[in-house]
Every structure is written in structure tokens, then in C-alpha cells.
Amino acid sequence: MDSAELLDLLGNANRRRILRLLAHKPCYVTEISEYLGVSPKAVIDHLGKLDDAGLVESRTDDRRRKYFSIARNLRLEVQVSPHEFGAKSAYPANPGFDVSSCRYVSIEVDGADGDSTDGDGTDGATSVDDAGDDAGEDVDADTEALKRHARELERLKQLENELSLAQRWVQGSLSEVRENIDEAVEDGTDDGRLYAAVIGALATGDRDVRTISRDVEAHPEFVEEALEWLASEGIVEQSGETWRLCD
Amino acid sequence: MDSAELLDLLGNANRRRILRLLAHKPCYVTEISEYLGVSPKAVIDHLGKLDDAGLVESRTDDRRRKYFSIARNLRLEVQVSPHEFGAKSAYPANPGFDVSSCRYVSIEVDGADGDSTDGDGTDGATSVDDAGDDAGEDVDADTEALKRHARELERLKQLENELSLAQRWVQGSLSEVRENIDEAVEDGTDDGRLYAAVIGALATGDRDVRTISRDVEAHPEFVEEALEWLASEGIVEQSGETWRLCD
């Protein structure tokens, strides 16, 4: 699902309330209608839109009544700043994702507190997927498992907050760097922005003019001009059709 | 600005297109109207809403024509999952934010590549705010400053991608842990969710019943029941009015 579709769906307060309700428990149309104080017809209409997008799904109970729940796990990030408006949606990364492959970020979810009593080799980043396997019939084992899950939930929630704070810091820093580029270019107020955008487009990989032009939503002619000026300054270099930032 | 207001504004495709355009350059109403193929009246209406919310601002040029630009720097994060629907908006963190105060995340934005030629003591996380100061009149100094900004932009963009990937991983892991808690509680299908939500509410700090009840949007009576069961299992404990996760 692309971010535009998701933003269209989430732009309605009642649809947001329906999703919040369904996140707490699966519901029948009548429950949603009563909770929201909205007619069943309107609820069905909202659910239809959410269903079409694959955000909710329905099952039928033994009395053949339909009940609804959230079907997807997804994430939307929107950044608004004087230099950037960007929205992206993504599915959560696979639990097997190897955080250690990151170059600038490292994450320590396990062993951070010394009183952890995990005895079964749970191993931070890659352990979550097998954490539920030992919920056996033994009550004590159940309780131990529950305790471990609670601690894991606690660590993940704190990690989530820290990552969010780090993202906010990055966004603020990006704004400053873009303003600095604006100033350093000093080539008319409008162009500085384009130059910062072009550098930004090359920041995550080498690109040809057409791709950059699409990324920064500027005419290829202007992009080419910017690239040539940046090349004359030794900021970027060309290799065949591809442009890259100089080392 | 709260996330609901922001989602209402961003739920309109033409308002998103206006913001995308203004992120590239400040614009007059006529420019926006031509670019979007939308009547000036409709554009003025959208700009009015964005202006009321403080998202855009206008200045007057020397021919007394108004032009618009994005006024705010803010960030919106939305999570949709079978157990959670959450939206939060926030301003970017102050550039002086000390990443090293994080417990689970560490960030290495400087010194990651050995060929950095920074000679003015720029110092990673806390250096961005003074990075533009030495853009003097000397052309070489300007070029050096621009190169440094370009490298900084590159690192920040990569860091942003890594953080985003890490957040997606956290969201996926949280979903799994919540499902594991559901299973471990095994106390009727609906209640597991509430128990996971209650543990989640305590994960980021100690709370009283009323606050938890508001956080998880459940009746205080049910929250109290859940807390007492979790206490009997040794997962949470009470101190006065306040509940906390056991160590």
C-alpha cells in the first residue's frame, strides 16, 4: 500500500477511531456503530474502504455474524520541513533483520540490564521469533515465559522511543545541513534548494539525471545544470550516465 | 500540532501536492494553481487551512504579491498492526540532543569513514549546528564547506534509512511479543490483548489505573482486573496508587 492511499484512508477521524477500536479487540458492526455514535450504514462504508485497501479483514462467528479486525502490520512516516515533504509507508522489517549490518546505528536490546534472568539463550535482536515456543503446559513455565515477554515488550517500547527521538534529531540536523548548503551555494535563493535536493538524491546511491530529476521533481535540464556546477566545485563526479558524490 | 489535525490536513491529495511543491520552492498562488491544474480559489482554500494550522506561511515580494512556503519542521509516525493503531506527531529534536543518553541505541555519524578531512573539530552528533559558520568570503573555504555539508547530508540520509529500518524491525518484533503475551495469558481471546496493552502502557514508565485506562482505552474496572491477575503472576507490582513492571 502506498503512502498516498494510506493518508487518504487515515484522513478521516471516524476511520481512525474504527482502527483504534479494532486494535483493542475485533468488533461487530453494531459494536463499532454504538461506540462511535455513527450509523451502521456509515460504519459499513468505512469498513468497506478499509477492507478494499486490505487494512481490515472480517471473519464469521458461529452465529454467522461478521466481525472485523486489523489485517495488516504497517508503518507510515511523514516528514514536513521547509526543504522537504516526504511520506513513506512500509511493512515492518522481518524479525530476522540483522541490525548489525547498519553502518551508523547500533542497537543493544539484550544484556543492557544485568538482572536479566533469561536462561534459554534469547539473543536480543534475532531472538524474538522463537520467544513463544516454550509456553508449555507447566504453569511455572507459562509464568516465566510471560515475565520474559513483558521484559521484552518493555525493552522494545523504550527502544522505539529512542529510535523516534533519534529520527527527530536526524530530521532537525538534515534541515540545518540543507540550509547550510543553500548558503554555501549562494547562487540565487531558489537554486540552493535544488542543489541541496540533488546532493540529497545522490546521498543514498549513484543515479542518472533522469532518476535524480524524478526524485527531486525538477526538470532534467535544471538538474543537469546543478550537477555540472557541483562537479566544477568537486562535490559530484560523473561516470558514464551515472553521477555520484565525490569521496 | 496533534497527529489528528495533521492527518486531517494530509488526507487530501491536493494539499499533499501543494506541500511537495512548496518544499522545492516558495510559490505564488498562480504558480500552484497552474502546476496542480486546480482553480486559484481552491488553492487559496487549501493554503488557508495549511496556514491556520501553521504548516505554511506567506511573505510579500517587492511587487506586493504573496508567496508561500512551508513554515514548520515536523514529523508524523503512524503504526497500524493487529494489536495497535497509533499516530504521533513531533517536532524534530534539538540538534543539541545527546544521542549518547540513549540506553539501547547508539549512533556513529562521524569518524565512520577514515578519509574525513574535517579540520575544525566537527564532532558528529552535536556538531551540525556550527557547521555553517566558516563559510567565509574565500572561495576555497566555501567549496570546502560545501563538500563537508554534502558529506554530512550523505551520512544523515543513510542514518535516516537505517533508523527507519530499525523502527520497522521494532514494530515487527513488538507484534510478535504481543502475540506471545496473548498466548501466554490464554485467558479468553479478547483479554490477552488487554493484558499486552496494559504491560505495554507500563513499559515506558510507572502509571496509575486511570492513566493506564486512558492509554489502553479500556474501562478502569477491566484494567484493574488485568493488573491484579498480572500481579498474582509476579509480572507487575503496586506501590500506593502506582503500578510498575517487576524487575
Side-chain angles (χ1 to χ4, degrees):
Chain A
M1 175 181 303
D2 72 5
S3 58
E5 190 183 358
L6 195 50
L7 281 168
D8 283 342
L9 284 170
L10 298 179
N12 178 286
N14 279 331
R15 280 198 289 272
R16 293 196 297 270
R17 293 172 71 201
I18 290 175
L19 288 172
R20 201 165 291 124
L21 187 60
L22 295 182
H24 289 297
K25 63 182 188 107
C27 288
Y28 301 104
V29 169
T30 48
E31 289 177 284
I32 302 171
S33 162
E34 275 165 30
Y35 180 83
L36 263 62
V38 163
S39 73
K41 192 180 165 306
V43 169
I44 289 167
D45 184 50
H46 287 312
L47 286 170
K49 283 178 182 152
L50 294 168
D51 196 1
D52 287 346
L55 263 187
V56 306
E57 61 188 358
S58 62
R59 291 200 179 73
T60 310
D61 72 5
D62 42 16
R63 289 165 57 195
R64 300 178 69 179
R65 294 185 305 171
K66 258 188 176 179
Y67 61 97
F68 290 82
S69 58
I70 294 178
R72 287 275 186 105
N73 201 333
L74 49 84
R75 175 173 187 82
L76 171 72
E77 291 174 19
V78 181
Q79 294 177 23
V80 186
S81 81
H83 283 73
E84 188 176 25
F85 172 71
K88 59 181 172 186
S89 65
Y91 300 103
N94 190 294
F97 158 65
D98 182 12
V99 179
S100 72
S101 67
C102 287
R103 184 169 169 187
Y104 297 109
V105 178
S106 56
I107 290 173
E108 188 68 49
V109 262
D110 214 1
D113 50 5
D115 56 342
S116 167
T117 54
D118 290 0
D120 59 349
T122 53
D123 188 23
T126 54
S127 76
V128 180
D129 43 351
D130 60 318
D133 293 351
D134 52 357
E137 291 169 347
D138 182 8
V139 176
D140 286 344
D142 267 2
T143 302
E144 273 315 303
L146 191 53
K147 272 191 192 168
R148 205 174 53 244
H149 299 324
R151 272 194 299 269
E152 212 155 45
L153 188 64
E154 183 179 24
R155 285 195 289 261
L156 287 167
K157 289 294 275 185
Q158 289 178 12
L159 175 57
E160 187 179 45
N161 281 346
E162 289 184 358
L163 287 171
S164 192
L165 199 59
Q167 281 280 28
R168 289 166 51 201
W169 172 78
V170 169
Q171 189 178 341
S173 303
L174 275 171
S175 282
E176 293 212 29
V177 172
R178 289 190 177 111
E179 271 164 40
N180 289 336
I181 291 177
D182 256 22
E183 281 172 29
V185 170
E186 288 181 300
D187 192 49
T189 45
D190 285 6
D191 285 31
R193 251 165 223 257
L194 175 63
Y195 288 36
V198 167
I199 293 171
L202 291 176
T204 48
D206 307 347
R207 304 260 190 284
D208 62 13
V209 172
R210 232 179 46 183
T211 314
I212 301 170
S213 159
R214 207 189 46 215
D215 280 5
V216 307
E217 295 183 50
H219 196 278
E221 214 172 279
F222 298 130
V223 171
E224 198 132 17
E225 247 174 55
L227 284 166
E228 264 151 32
W229 186 83
L230 289 167
S232 74
E233 295 284 308
I235 309 291
V236 302
E237 59 191 17
Q238 190 173 15
S239 150
E241 293 293 297
T242 303
W243 289 87
R244 56 189 290 270
L245 291 177
C246 294
D247 288 329
Chain B
M1 174 180 303
D2 71 5
S3 57
E5 190 183 358
L6 195 51
L7 281 169
D8 282 343
L9 284 170
L10 298 179
N12 178 288
N14 279 333
R15 281 197 290 273
R16 294 196 297 270
R17 292 173 70 200
I18 290 175
L19 288 171
R20 200 164 292 125
L21 187 60
L22 296 181
H24 289 298
K25 64 183 189 105
C27 289
Y28 302 104
V29 169
T30 48
E31 288 177 287
I32 302 171
S33 161
E34 276 166 29
Y35 180 83
L36 262 62
V38 163
S39 73
K41 192 178 165 306
V43 169
I44 289 167
D45 183 51
H46 287 311
L47 286 169
K49 283 180 182 153
L50 294 168
D51 196 2
D52 287 345
L55 262 188
V56 305
E57 61 189 357
S58 62
R59 292 200 178 75
T60 311
D61 71 6
D62 43 18
R63 291 165 58 194
R64 300 177 68 178
R65 293 186 305 170
K66 257 189 178 176
Y67 62 97
F68 290 82
S69 58
I70 294 178
R72 288 273 187 104
N73 202 332
L74 50 81
R75 175 173 187 81
L76 172 71
E77 290 174 17
V78 181
Q79 293 176 23
V80 186
S81 80
H83 282 73
E84 187 176 27
F85 172 72
K88 58 181 174 188
S89 66
Y91 300 103
N94 190 294
F97 158 66
D98 182 12
V99 180
S100 72
S101 66
C102 287
R103 184 168 169 189
Y104 297 110
V105 178
S106 57
I107 289 173
E108 189 67 52
V109 263
D110 214 2
D113 50 4
D115 57 343
S116 168
T117 55
D118 291 0
D120 59 348
T122 54
D123 188 22
T126 54
S127 75
V128 181
D129 42 351
D130 62 319
D133 292 351
D134 51 357
E137 291 170 347
D138 182 8
V139 176
D140 287 343
D142 268 1
T143 302
E144 273 315 303
L146 191 54
K147 271 189 194 174
R148 206 174 52 244
H149 300 324
R151 272 195 299 267
E152 213 155 43
L153 188 65
E154 184 179 21
R155 284 195 290 261
L156 287 168
K157 289 293 277 185
Q158 289 178 12
L159 175 57
E160 187 180 47
N161 281 345
E162 289 184 358
L163 286 170
S164 191
L165 200 57
Q167 274 172 323
R168 289 166 51 201
W169 172 79
V170 169
Q171 189 178 341
S173 302
L174 275 170
S175 283
E176 292 211 29
V177 172
R178 289 189 177 112
E179 271 164 41
N180 289 336
I181 291 177
D182 257 22
E183 281 172 30
V185 172
E186 288 181 300
D187 193 47
T189 46
D190 286 6
D191 285 29
R193 252 164 223 258
L194 174 63
Y195 288 36
V198 167
I199 294 172
L202 291 175
T204 48
D206 306 347
R207 304 259 190 285
D208 63 11
V209 172
R210 230 177 49 182
T211 315
I212 301 170
S213 159
R214 207 189 47 215
D215 280 5
V216 306
E217 295 182 50
H219 196 280
E221 214 173 279
F222 298 130
V223 171
E224 198 132 15
E225 246 174 55
L227 284 166
E228 264 151 33
W229 186 83
L230 288 168
S232 75
E233 294 283 307
I235 310 291
V236 303
E237 59 192 17
Q238 190 173 15
S239 151
E241 292 292 297
T242 304
W243 289 87
R244 55 188 291 270
L245 291 177
C246 295
D247 287 329

